[in-house]
Amino acid sequence: MALHKNSPIPLYYQLAELLREQIREGVLRPGDQVPSERTLSEQHGISRMTARQAITYLVKEGALVVRHGLGTFVAEPKLTQDALHLLGFTEEIMRHGGQAVSRVLEQVVELPPLRVANELQCRPGETVLKVVRLRLSNDLPLLLETSYVPIALCPDLMQADLAKQSLYAALEQLGGLRLKRARQTLEATAANSYESDLFGIAPGTAMILLEGVTYDEQDRPVEFFKAIYRGDRFKFSFSSERTVWDDADAVGIPRVGIVLA
């Protein structure tokens, strides 16, 4: 694939796309060293600055990683979070053949924030169990997860060891709750100072915020969750189905699943 120098698309972006395609096709594999800026500039007839821009772009999005004193290498592939199936983090990591570890930062009974209480349909004065966990795989912090569960639904959950046990498994085993579906939103965000310290990343690093409510088979809200994923280590998979509206029906009806802030 040659770079098109007369194209309105910047050369650095074209080169980044070329390298990304080589990674997808397996020409460049995880752990392989990427050609140097000088080599790339000579191969494609571009300046070293343009080659540097392309590499920097791919490093920022997590496709490449810089090892100081050694060079630039292809990063390990991102984990794919299946947004269509209701799986906990532990189950997702195991599905990919990894080992999941949870570090419980907080596990307390408290009155929920107003928004959480509304989402969980809590009665006035009803308490919830708040669980904050840092989730890791192979010692790498991947996401910060906060869950709220009404105590009345599963009183024994207060004593559960959620560092070793999946929350969803505990809800099913201790509370007899069969989880069925989740309503969730996904948006881009940036790491604040607390999150950057936890993950060992720079403040402002791109993150993915997933929020929602999990429901059981009786359609009761069981959990309100907020999960902050490392943007350089995750991607989400979805499946879409086109719905055709009649002109009369389409008037005033927003597209499902798209929220404009």
Side-chain angles (χ1 to χ4, degrees):
M1 176 180 172
L3 304 187
H4 301 287
K5 297 185 178 180
N6 294 325
S7 170
I9 300 175
L11 289 172
Y12 86 88
Y13 190 85
Q14 292 186 51
L15 178 57
E17 286 294 299
L18 172 60
L19 292 172
R20 190 185 288 111
E21 193 59 33
Q22 290 178 345
I23 294 171
R24 291 195 189 104
E25 294 176 352
V27 177
L28 290 172
R29 298 178 179 275
D32 285 352
Q33 186 167 9
V34 176
S36 66
E37 294 172 8
R38 174 181 292 179
T39 300
L40 289 171
S41 66
E42 292 174 352
Q43 286 178 345
H44 299 284
I46 57 177
S47 69
R48 290 185 62 176
M49 181 177 292
T50 299
R52 185 179 304 122
Q53 279 184 288
I55 290 174
T56 301
Y57 177 78
L58 292 175
V59 168
K60 286 183 177 179
E61 73 166 24
L64 302 179
V65 61
V66 176
R67 297 175 185 167
H68 295 290
L70 296 175
T72 305
F73 298 80
V74 178
E76 291 298 318
K78 293 183 179 182
L79 295 166
T80 301
Q81 180 79 11
D82 187 352
L84 299 177
H85 297 92
L86 190 55
L87 296 175
F89 172 78
T90 301
E91 295 163 316
E92 280 283 3
I93 293 298
M94 290 176 65
R95 190 167 69 92
H96 289 284
Q99 183 178 7
V101 175
S102 297
R103 186 182 303 162
V104 178
L105 305 180
E106 192 174 9
Q107 187 169 339
V108 296
V109 176
E110 64 178 29
L111 290 172
L114 180 59
R115 182 167 75 101
V116 174
N118 290 337
E119 293 282 6
L120 293 176
Q121 300 175 14
C122 293
R123 298 182 300 274
E126 184 176 359
T127 57
V128 298
L129 180 68
K130 176 186 177 183
V131 182
V132 182
R133 291 177 294 176
L134 183 65
R135 319 303 295 274
L136 307 92
S137 180
N138 301 322
D139 295 324
L140 179 68
L142 293 177
L143 72 100
L144 178 65
E145 183 180 62
T146 303
S147 296
Y148 297 87
V149 177
I151 287 297
L153 291 179
C154 187
D156 291 339
L157 190 62
M158 291 184 289
Q159 282 73 47
D161 185 353
L162 296 176
K164 298 179 179 178
Q165 185 176 19
S166 160
L167 173 62
Y168 287 178
L171 288 171
E172 292 179 355
Q173 294 168 10
L174 301 176
L177 299 168
R178 303 293 298 178
L179 305 179
K180 182 179 180 181
R181 67 180 182 93
R183 174 175 53 80
Q184 49 200 353
T185 61
L186 184 71
E187 64 180 290
T189 184
N192 58 33
S193 58
Y194 173 65
E195 293 160 357
S196 64
D197 287 343
L198 279 178
F199 288 99
I201 56 179
T205 296
M207 309 291 277
I208 301 169
L209 171 62
L210 185 71
E211 283 189 329
V213 180
T214 306
Y215 298 83
D216 67 4
E217 289 182 331
Q218 300 178 47
D219 221 32
R220 294 178 300 182
V222 171
E223 175 205 23
F224 178 88
F225 60 85
K226 172 184 175 182
I228 301 173
Y229 293 78
R230 284 183 59 149
D232 63 342
R233 297 300 301 134
F234 277 93
K235 59 182 179 181
F236 285 75
S237 65
F238 298 88
S239 178
S240 299
E241 183 174 302
R242 175 170 167 75
T243 300
V244 179
W245 301 92
D246 292 334
D247 290 342
D249 295 334
V251 176
I253 300 177
R255 295 189 178 187
V256 176
I258 299 177
V259 179
L260 300 179

